Structures are given as structure tokens and as C-alpha cells.
Amino acid sequence: MSNSPALDNPILKNGVLKDGEKLSESKTKFPVEVFPKDVQDIIIDLNTKGKYPIDYIAGSMLSAISTAIGNTHICRFDDDKIDNAMLWICLIGDSGTNKTRSISKIFEPIAKRDFENYKAFESQFQEYELNGCEGKRPTFKRHTVKDSTPEALIKTLYDNPRGLIANVDELRNWYGNFNRYNSGSIQSWYLQIHSQVPIDYIRQKKTIKVERPFYNVLGGLQPSLIYDLAKGDNLVDGFIYRFLFFYPEGLEYPKWELNKESTKPSFDKWNRILNRVLDLEYDEITERPKSLDFDPTAQKTVLEYQNKCSLLVNQKNEPILKSIQAKLDSALLRLSLVLEGFYHGNEQSSFNTISVESVNGAIKLCDFFRDNIIKVITKAKTTRKNETLKDQLYSKLDNQFTTAEAEKVCQELGLKRSAMFKNLSNEDDYKRVSEGIYKKAV
């Protein structure tokens, strides 16, 4: 049983992250052992031969299997705790660390099916037009969407009740579009989807209603933009806590090598696993998912783990930990269902119950994600503090000033000399007039 080390993280104090403290260099490695052995071998092989980062391959795989399951199955712990396979996943890393490449390769079978479905839709629509647009209008059956308005998204969800994924290169482009509309109401709308609340959209006296919205999110984010994701009410309304973060340390820009051993066999194995899950049947007429109960041992394991986490959270009485754990309780059920999907794809499960193997894997994943969300919040808070000091420095300086005057202000603010010169080098804020003399750019 996991000890949930993140619950004892000293970075937390009185419900908030302590100013000026930095989370110890988290060396939390992704627990590859949560997957079936064949999937573990695929991940290691792709990492060794193709230089695909383990975190990004594993995160993409979790998202892909979750998307393949969609609304075909739900898991039932008891009558009050029923969940689906929906996951919002964020891969954090600098540009050039193979986030997009990992997502693209893992999602190839889904992209292929979407393309085949589009060609079929094209043909059906041509026939529909030739017949004078009589009968039922054909719809494009798909798994993946990119940027879309709420109106377009709910229409696409209505046409694709099995479920969708927003597969975006840059996650900021997804949540940044909230500002194009009424950001508060739109964000709340997405939070409802994540919580499996039925949604509707009313436009020009026409109502579109989706009873079981299934909408995955997968995208990359650069570390410098973490603050952007955590700003505003995102920490208050729980928006950021709904994401499962992959934040590996020390990734270097990959060096090309002539690969003498191909990664194709591993991708072929992965494609077979994912395609088997994509082949799960779904009745679009009734739109009723099949319900999977937890076997008795799995149920007992979930109960023991959740109760242990609950006890520790209540002992610490810290709002941030409570907010994190509330979402991880749901993630525990969802990840158990998704991992059972991996076993089904690898022909090790009939997909009729949730096994203790899947639950034990989900527990390890919850501990991993707890560590990473604390790391993300710490990064966001540190950045926010730095941004505040940057604004204070700017407001206290005269329109033209010397480095000596800037140093004096920095001493008052507690800014180091190196931080001062870093700020002065920002040409959007300051211009160098001559040696030791600067002026504000605006």
C-alpha cells in the first residue's frame, strides 16, 4: 500500500504554499510497472531506441486508451460512486522535448480511423446531396477535435456520443480560447463536462442536449506557462486540479543517432492493443455504457487506500490538499477503468470487472499525480511572486534611472542583483540609454 508521500510535503503550510520555498528537485519517476508487461516493454523500447520520453509516451497511452473506451464502459464502486474513463492530461516540458511527436505516434491508430470515417462520410454526404438532401443527414463519426466553439463542440458531442478528445499541441491554445467568449461561464461549462453533468446549448430557440458528455483533453505546456494555467480562479474553482500532470525533470534536446534497431515492432504491438480497445462495441441508439463492478479484492483495496488518504488530509486540514484529493478520488476510479482497458487491449482481461491489478496501478498513478500537481502549484506560486516583484520594481523606478538606483530599489524588494539585470534586459519594459543608464520603454 502506498504511503502517499506528497501528503507529507513540507512545502505546504496552513493551506497555502510557503513563499520563497522551492519544491525539492522532484525525481518522481513515472511508475511504468502500472501497465501490463507487454506495454512496459513497448515504453522502454521506444524510450531506448527512439528517444521518446517515458512520461510523454505513458501519458499519451493513458489518454489514447481512455479515448478508445469513451462511453462504452463505466466503472461502479457502489451506487453513489460511478465514474467513466475521462482524463484531462497535460504534458509539461520545454519546446523540442518530443511532446508532440509522442502524442502523434501513439494516436496514429485513432487518426487513421478518423480519416477512414471522414472518407466514408464524404461518400455518404455526396449521395445524400444527389438524393436531394432527403432522409437523415450523414454525420462525421470521429474521435478527435481541435479548437472549436462551445456551440460547435456540443454539436460534435451530440453526433459522437461515444466521446471525443481535444488533442492540442499547446494546451494554452485550448484554455486560452475561453477568453473569446464569456470566460467564466465557458470554463464552468467545461467543468460540468469533466464532472459528467449533462449539458445543453440553446441558440436561436434550438436546444442541443448531451446526456453523457465524454470529452478528453490532451496537450503540452511549457514550464514558463504554468503560471498562466493557474491564474485567476483556476485554483479556486478546481480547474487546475482536474488535470493529471506529467512534469519530467532534466529532459535534454534529443541528439540524432542512426537507429540500427527499428521502433516499428513496438509501435505495431501498441497499435494492436489500442485497436482492440477501439473495437469495443457501443450502442449509439440507447447510448448506454456497460457497467464494470470492482471485484471484492479490488473494492477492499480502493476503500483502504482512500480512507488512508482521507485520514491524512483531515489531520493536516489544508485546503489545497483537500482540493487535490477530491479530484484524485475520482481519478482513482477512472484510472482503474483505463488500466483495465490496457489489460483488455493486451488480451488479459474480458473487461467485465475491475481487477485488483488495475486498482493497484491506479493507486501508484494517483500518488505520482499528487506529487506532480504539488510541483505545478509550487511553480505557479513562485512565478506569481516573481511577476509581482517585477511589477513593483517597474513602478518604483523613475522613467530614467541608473543601475545604482535600480540596485537600491532591488535591495528594498529583496531582489538579487542577477534578478535585477534579468529584468533590465527585458526590452519590452526597459531600454539601455548608455553605460549604467536605463529608461522605461513605455
Side-chain angles (χ1 to χ4, degrees), residues 162-179:
R162 179 170 178 146
L164 297 168
I165 179 170
N167 190 336
V168 292
D169 286 342
E170 295 293 338
L171 192 62
R172 189 188 193 191
N173 293 338
W174 175 71
Y175 65 78
N177 282 336
F178 294 173
N179 294 326

Side-chain angles (χ1 to χ4, degrees), residues 47-322:
N47 175 251
T48 303
K49 296 177 183 176
K51 307 303 180 186
Y52 293 91
I54 287 176
D55 284 60
Y56 299 159
I57 285 291
S60 299
M61 284 181 166
L62 281 168
S63 183
I65 292 294
S66 165
T67 301
I69 295 172
N71 267 327
T72 66
H73 291 71
I74 55 176
C75 63
R76 176 186 171 277
F77 182 77
D78 60 29
D79 287 342
D80 296 318
K81 302 175 189 67
I82 299 171
D83 229 313
N84 62 13
M86 193 189 315
L87 302 176
W88 288 7
I89 291 177
C90 176
L91 310 181
I92 299 177
D94 293 321
S95 179
T97 51
N98 279 334
K99 297 189 297 294
T100 302
R101 180 168 166 250
S102 299
I103 294 171
S104 178
K105 292 296 290 185
I106 292 302
F107 269 78
E108 272 188 2
I110 291 177
K112 182 179 179 182
R113 291 206 181 202
D114 278 3
F115 179 75
E116 291 170 350
N117 289 345
Y118 179 73
K119 298 305 289 184
F121 164 72
E122 249 189 345
S123 176
Q124 293 164 4
F125 196 79
Q126 287 176 0
E127 185 176 344
Y128 171 74
E129 289 184 315
L130 287 174
N131 291 331
C133 299
E134 293 183 358
K136 186 177 180 180
R137 182 186 177 95
T139 57
F140 173 25
K141 296 300 179 182
R142 62 201 298 188
H143 297 88
T144 306
V145 292
K146 294 291 184 181
D147 176 34
S148 60
T149 65
E151 181 181 12
L153 176 59
I154 196 168
K155 177 67 168 63
T156 310
L157 283 168
Y158 181 83
D159 289 340
N160 294 272
R162 179 170 178 146
L164 297 168
I165 179 170
N167 190 336
V168 292
D169 286 342
E170 295 293 338
L171 192 62
R172 189 188 193 191
N173 293 338
W174 175 71
Y175 65 78
N177 282 336
F178 294 173
N179 294 326
R180 286 163 50 185
Y181 320 103
N182 183 330
S183 59
S185 62
I186 295 303
Q187 183 159 308
S188 175
W189 189 73
Y190 279 106
L191 295 180
Q192 285 183 298
I193 291 176
H194 188 272
S195 299
Q196 307 174 75
V197 176
I199 56 171
D200 53 43
Y201 194 89
I202 303 173
R203 184 75 178 266
Q204 297 176 348
K205 298 182 179 181
K206 182 179 180 182
T207 300
I208 301 175
K209 188 176 184 65
V210 178
E211 187 67 23
R212 296 179 182 273
F214 187 100
Y215 180 69
N216 272 349
V217 178
L218 173 65
L221 188 71
Q222 295 187 37
S224 60
L225 296 177
I226 288 175
Y227 167 66
D228 198 42
L229 179 62
K231 69 183 181 181
D233 292 332
N234 291 353
L235 286 173
V236 178
D237 65 12
F239 179 74
I240 192 171
Y241 303 128
R242 285 168 168 80
F243 282 92
L244 303 178
F245 291 98
F246 289 79
Y247 194 172
E249 296 280 356
L251 291 183
E252 297 181 350
Y253 187 80
K255 179 178 69 174
W256 278 21
E257 296 176 355
L258 184 61
N259 291 333
K260 295 181 180 180
E261 294 181 279
S262 174
T263 56
K264 186 177 184 302
S266 285
F267 278 120
D268 288 344
K269 289 179 185 177
W270 165 249
N271 292 349
R272 285 194 291 272
I273 291 170
L274 181 53
N275 277 317
R276 189 161 192 263
V277 183
L278 284 165
D279 287 338
L280 288 168
E281 293 183 358
Y282 178 67
D283 188 343
E284 291 199 356
I285 304 299
T286 64
E287 297 185 8
R288 289 181 182 173
K290 180 180 177 181
S291 180
L292 272 64
D293 288 339
F294 289 73
D295 73 35
T297 306
Q299 196 173 46
K300 180 182 177 183
T301 304
V302 168
L303 208 57
E304 289 177 351
Y305 174 74
Q306 195 282 333
N307 287 351
K308 183 175 184 179
C309 291
S310 175
L311 177 63
L312 289 170
V313 168
N314 287 328
Q315 285 174 345
K316 292 195 172 292
N317 194 29
E318 293 166 343
I320 284 182
L321 282 182
K322 288 180 180 179

Side-chain angles (χ1 to χ4, degrees), residues 26-39:
S26 175
K27 299 301 180 183
T28 303
K29 292 184 178 179
F30 180 82
V32 181
E33 67 273 12
V34 303
F35 296 123
K37 181 62 167 59
D38 287 347
V39 177

Side-chain angles (χ1 to χ4, degrees), residues 9-19 317-321 377 381 384:
N9 198 302
I11 200 74
L12 293 164
K13 182 180 181 182
N14 299 325
V16 297
L17 297 170
K18 290 190 281 186
D19 288 334
N317 194 29
E318 293 166 343
I320 284 182
L321 282 182
I377 296 170
K381 186 173 179 64
R384 181 162 59 237

